[in-house]
Amino acid sequence: MPGRFITLEGGEGAGKSTVMERVAQWLEQKGRRVVQTREPGGTELAEKLRDILLDRNNLVLSGTAELLLMFAARAQHLDERIRPALARGDWVLCDRFTDATWAYQGGGRGLPREHIEALETLVHGDLQPDLTLLLDLPVELGLQRASNRSQADRFEGESFEFFQRVREAYLERAAAAPGRFCVIDASRKLEDVWAQIHVVLQERLVS
Amino acid sequence: MPGRFITLEGGEGAGKSTVMERVAQWLEQKGRRVVQTREPGGTELAEKLRDILLDRNNLVLSGTAELLLMFAARAQHLDERIRPALARGDWVLCDRFTDATWAYQGGGRGLPREHIEALETLVHGDLQPDLTLLLDLPVELGLQRASNRSQADRFEGESFEFFQRVREAYLERAAAAPGRFCVIDASRKLEDVWAQIHVVLQERLVS
């Protein structure tokens, strides 16, 4: 059986990490080999780029450079880790992928749609996730949850309006590709969030 | 008077650094304010990317990731340094620019022409160098000269055939844009190289 590519998306405080663990455990119980990874990052080299992208001291980083760095890290991640895993039949669970670029660099920063489109085609025109779980919740609630965590990175220091645009861009992406996306109400408590996801996994992936 | 953008190109051992110094001195004597810079790099952040690109230990770096990293560093360099300098009327002298990407990633690595073209348009579709000095010399001679220098970086460890393709790609670029390029015979001794360049600068830039 070929591998599947599942991505988790969502703004700050959506609970992606916790959900990822649960999804991985559940898939492994069903006998799948699972690779858990994240973006930006996922390989030694791409993690170096992540450090640059998230470093709060790199405030001079221009929008276009940020966008290209994201896709450079992604190209490396795909070539070194994601494609080989899928090729050997593993299931890949990835915390953020190109939808996050559409949301953060497109929606949040307002970078041109045609730039993101050109880079997406260049880097993975042939590959899209089989399923994308979008953990959606109101920005206020997400930021409140995230504020209880460690120090904010370069993105987490952005304005409320920025995250509002990120959320809207995510929801637009989901509406444009309903066959791939599944929007999960992440404002509810973990067990309810998991119950929603469990149904989706059963129906779409392991039937 | 508006600033001018001059790039120096060429393979290993072509003598770009020495020539750059001479060009800068000559322009300054003519009363121009000169910014000397290089690629990949030229800003603190882009130099971090240079370190990743040239590090011999990063052998896993995929061709596409390398290409995107080059353009990420370039976008940052343009936004933070080159465009502001040109806007205030300075002359920018840059050791390597997008022609080097065509030569090394296009010619050397054989990456698709349409990828380089798309990235060039995205990052600086509006801006090209006013003059590009291509220091051309046979690969054998260039490698022989370069071998006397410090330890080889990630590119300098490539094969003879790689550098042959780099040289050919450079010459093709020059032939396709004769109004911008000037091919200099860099196999000759420094004074002769400088004499050729001196004529070009007089005719094209400071008349």
Side-chain angles (χ1 to χ4, degrees):
Chain A
M1 197 176 350
R4 300 284 188 97
F5 184 23
I6 305 173
T7 57
L8 273 86
E9 297 284 357
E12 314 307 306
K16 286 185 283 88
S17 316
T18 318
V19 164
M20 177 123 137
E21 273 305 322
R22 290 289 281 266
V23 174
Q25 277 171 22
W26 187 83
L27 285 170
E28 279 163 358
Q29 278 162 16
K30 297 273 171 189
R32 269 68 183 176
R33 275 197 318 264
V34 176
V35 172
Q36 289 187 59
T37 187
R38 67 170 182 180
E39 291 216 341
T43 76
E44 195 186 328
L45 213 143
E47 291 284 333
K48 287 185 195 171
L49 302 182
R50 179 189 182 94
D51 290 343
I52 292 176
L53 280 161
L54 302 191
D55 185 349
R56 283 198 74 128
N57 298 315
N58 289 337
L59 288 177
V60 294
L61 185 62
S62 82
T64 305
E66 176 180 295
L67 179 65
L68 289 160
L69 268 185
M70 283 288 178
F71 274 103
R74 180 163 299 140
Q76 186 65 29
H77 191 201
L78 280 160
D79 286 347
E80 196 180 333
R81 192 138 182 233
I82 297 176
R83 291 187 204 274
L86 294 173
R88 64 176 181 258
D90 291 359
W91 288 48
V92 175
L93 271 185
C94 189
D95 182 341
R96 293 214 165 105
F97 193 61
T98 300
D99 296 305
T101 306
W102 282 97
Y104 284 79
Q105 280 72 45
R109 301 236 187 276
L111 293 178
R113 151 179 287 275
E114 57 273 23
H115 288 186
I116 305 176
E117 217 152 42
L119 289 165
E120 181 174 7
T121 304
L122 193 156
V123 173
H124 62 99
D126 56 326
L127 179 75
Q128 283 292 342
D130 296 296
L131 172 67
T132 298
L133 298 169
L134 172 56
L135 304 189
D136 177 65
L137 80 174
V139 173
E140 297 85 336
L141 181 56
L143 291 179
Q144 196 184 313
R145 284 187 190 170
S147 69
N148 298 326
R149 295 188 311 205
S150 56
Q151 216 207 336
D153 65 30
R154 202 169 61 85
F155 286 95
E156 287 162 358
E158 291 292 340
S159 68
F160 181 83
E161 291 69 29
F162 177 93
F163 292 112
Q164 198 66 48
R165 292 194 300 274
V166 167
R167 184 187 187 194
E168 281 160 22
Y170 263 136
L171 290 171
E172 274 171 29
R173 288 285 288 172
R180 169 165 73 86
F181 267 92
C182 201
V183 182
I184 306 291
D185 179 357
S187 69
R188 299 164 67 185
K189 65 181 198 290
L190 180 63
E191 283 315 308
D192 293 343
V193 171
W194 172 244
Q196 297 172 71
I197 291 171
H198 187 214
V199 172
V200 174
L201 293 177
Q202 287 276 19
E203 282 178 2
R204 298 219 196 176
L205 295 178
V206 195
S207 52
Chain B
M1 198 178 348
R4 301 283 187 96
F5 184 23
I6 305 173
T7 57
L8 272 86
E9 298 283 358
E12 313 309 304
K16 287 187 281 86
S17 316
T18 317
V19 163
M20 178 123 135
E21 273 305 322
R22 289 289 282 267
V23 174
Q25 278 172 21
W26 187 82
L27 285 169
E28 279 163 358
Q29 279 162 13
K30 298 273 171 190
R32 269 68 183 177
R33 275 198 318 263
V34 175
V35 172
Q36 289 187 57
T37 187
R38 69 170 182 181
E39 291 216 341
T43 76
E44 195 185 327
L45 214 143
E47 291 283 333
K48 287 185 193 168
L49 303 181
R50 179 189 183 93
D51 290 343
I52 292 175
L53 280 161
L54 302 192
D55 185 349
R56 284 198 74 127
N57 297 317
N58 289 337
L59 288 177
V60 294
L61 184 62
S62 81
T64 305
E66 174 180 297
L67 180 65
L68 289 159
L69 267 186
M70 283 287 177
F71 274 103
R74 182 162 298 140
Q76 186 65 29
H77 191 202
L78 280 161
D79 286 347
E80 197 180 332
R81 193 139 183 234
I82 297 176
R83 290 186 204 275
L86 294 173
R88 63 177 183 260
D90 291 358
W91 287 49
V92 175
L93 270 185
C94 190
D95 182 341
R96 294 213 166 107
F97 193 62
T98 300
D99 296 307
T101 307
W102 282 97
Y104 283 79
Q105 281 72 44
R109 301 237 187 274
L111 293 178
R113 149 178 289 274
E114 56 274 23
H115 287 187
I116 305 178
E117 217 152 44
L119 289 165
E120 181 174 8
T121 304
L122 194 156
V123 172
H124 62 100
D126 57 325
L127 179 75
Q128 283 292 341
D130 296 295
L131 172 68
T132 299
L133 298 169
L134 172 56
L135 304 188
D136 177 64
L137 80 175
V139 173
E140 298 85 337
L141 181 57
L143 291 178
Q144 197 184 313
R145 285 188 189 168
S147 69
N148 298 325
R149 295 187 314 205
S150 57
Q151 216 208 335
D153 65 30
R154 202 169 60 86
F155 286 94
E156 288 162 356
E158 291 292 341
S159 67
F160 181 83
E161 291 68 30
F162 177 91
F163 292 112
Q164 197 68 47
R165 292 195 300 273
V166 168
R167 184 188 187 193
E168 279 159 23
Y170 264 137
L171 290 171
E172 274 171 30
R173 288 287 286 172
R180 169 165 74 84
F181 266 92
C182 202
V183 183
I184 306 291
D185 178 356
S187 69
R188 298 164 69 185
K189 65 181 200 289
L190 180 63
E191 282 315 306
D192 293 343
V193 171
W194 171 243
Q196 296 173 71
I197 292 172
H198 186 216
V199 172
V200 174
L201 294 177
Q202 286 276 17
E203 280 177 4
R204 297 219 197 176
L205 295 178
V206 196
S207 53

